Amino acid sequence: MVHSLPPIYVVRHGVTDWNVEGRFQGSRDIPLNADGRRQASGNGHLLKVLIGERVDAFDFVSSPLARTCETMELLRSAMNLSPEEYRIDDRLIEVCFGDWEGQTYDELARTMPEHIEERLRDKWNFQPRGENAESYEILSWRVAAWLNGVEGPTVCTTHGGVIRTLFHIVADMPGSKAAELTVPQDRVLKIENRTLNWLETSA
């Protein structure tokens, strides 16, 4: 359970070529593609409208991976802010998929069918093989530690897995449901107290 939360605007990084190819990215440092850069800028334009003159009250924090840092810098530029003035927090990095990183679901189904079946039975708690590999449950522990340290209004750029755990931590969504959530890359998630709402870039 987390404390009562100030407004937090959460943005998933823009799309990458590995997203398009359906490859597990995890902790791999994959850059945005052209569509991803457009998405990041679009989310920045929306945040400029949402936050307005209150921007000085906000903390800006990102996962350290290139795709989230570039998203943050494009987002801040679209808000007419200095691109580089944000913090890094390692707790916001994507779930590590271990030996699965760089592979597609179809490739894994051919080479590790028993692991695919294990994941289908319990996606939230499934932990791939390999160094530093995590389950969503393990990921949720470090995300909760970050969330409990948030003291004021915040803009955060992070990853799909992290956002899935936020629905579990903040809204008490069952892990089995949170693990299956589709997480868009062209929208902004607003968290305030125990409520999470997706906001349209076109709003």
Side-chain angles (χ1 to χ4, degrees), residues 34-138:
D35 287 337
R37 289 189 284 274
R38 283 192 290 271
Q39 290 170 331
S41 294
N43 283 326
H45 289 303
L46 174 58
L47 284 167
K48 183 179 179 182
V49 173
L50 292 170
I51 295 174
E53 296 179 356
R54 298 176 295 138
V55 68
D56 289 344
F58 277 76
D59 183 29
F60 287 76
V61 60
S62 176
S63 154
L65 294 184
R67 59 190 183 270
T68 42
C69 289
E70 186 177 6
T71 296
M72 176 62 85
E73 289 163 17
L74 290 166
L75 181 156
R76 285 183 58 87
S77 293
M79 298 176 72
N80 296 325
L81 300 172
S82 171
E84 300 84 9
E85 292 184 7
Y86 63 95
R87 297 188 303 105
I88 293 296
D89 196 310
D90 289 345
R91 293 171 294 184
L92 294 170
I93 201 168
E94 179 63 295
V95 61
C96 180
F97 288 109
D99 293 343
W100 286 32
E101 294 186 356
Q103 301 189 69
T104 67
Y105 190 89
D106 288 344
E107 289 168 348
L108 291 165
R110 290 194 297 271
T111 60
M112 306 179 186
E114 69 282 3
H115 295 174
I116 292 293
E117 292 172 5
E118 183 182 347
R119 186 173 189 256
L120 288 172
R121 287 194 296 271
D122 187 0
K123 189 174 179 180
W124 180 259
N125 290 295
F126 174 75
Q127 185 173 353
R129 282 42 170 185
E131 186 176 2
N132 299 321
E134 299 171 296
S135 65
Y136 281 120
E137 173 64 20
I138 293 171

Side-chain angles (χ1 to χ4, degrees), residues 161-203:
V162 171
I163 292 173
R164 292 183 182 99
T165 67
L166 288 171
F167 277 87
H168 174 69
I169 297 163
V170 176
D172 295 324
M173 180 180 287
S176 57
K177 184 177 179 182
E180 299 292 343
L181 285 176
T182 298
V183 181
Q185 290 161 295
D186 58 352
R187 298 173 72 182
V188 173
L189 179 67
K190 182 179 181 181
I191 303 174
E192 190 165 15
N193 296 320
R194 311 290 299 178
T195 303
L196 300 90
N197 290 301
W198 287 108
L199 308 175
E200 297 280 359
T201 305
S202 58

